[in-house]
Amino acid sequence: LCNEDYRWWWRAFASSASAALYLFLYAVWYFRAKLDISGLVPALLYFAYMALVSLTFALLCGAIGFLAALAFVFKIYAAIKVD
């Protein structure tokens, strides 16, 4: 923030939204290790739904992370005295 880096918004969003990547990778592992799904259509349906769930989770976590960082920045700048 001291360098006036305005891209912190995207970094705050992406760092918290990256939890969705873990969720999707876990879904891939679960598909390979635990599920007994055979056939292309059921597998495609599973991965399509898991991609939608992961995208929704990324947007949710990204928004929460961004809003938390924004509140933190507002709190920091509110405490600064400019004389």
Side-chain angles (χ1 to χ4, degrees), residues 39-76:
L40 178 65
V41 174
L44 188 63
L45 191 63
Y46 172 77
F47 284 115
Y49 275 120
M50 286 312 300
L52 285 175
V53 167
S54 296
L55 178 66
T56 304
F57 189 69
L59 291 174
L60 179 71
C61 288
I64 291 171
F66 167 72
L67 291 173
L70 185 65
F72 178 71
V73 168
F74 281 158
K75 189 80 166 173
I76 286 176

Side-chain angles (χ1 to χ4, degrees), residues 26-45:
Y26 182 77
V28 171
W29 174 82
Y30 191 79
F31 179 79
R32 301 290 254 151
K34 303 286 183 184
L35 293 180
D36 188 25
I37 295 177
S38 60
L40 178 65
V41 174
L44 188 63
L45 191 63

Side-chain angles (χ1 to χ4, degrees), residues 5-17:
D5 184 14
Y6 59 90
R7 292 177 302 229
W8 71 265
W9 296 43
W10 291 110
R11 193 172 306 128
F13 182 85
S15 64
S16 55

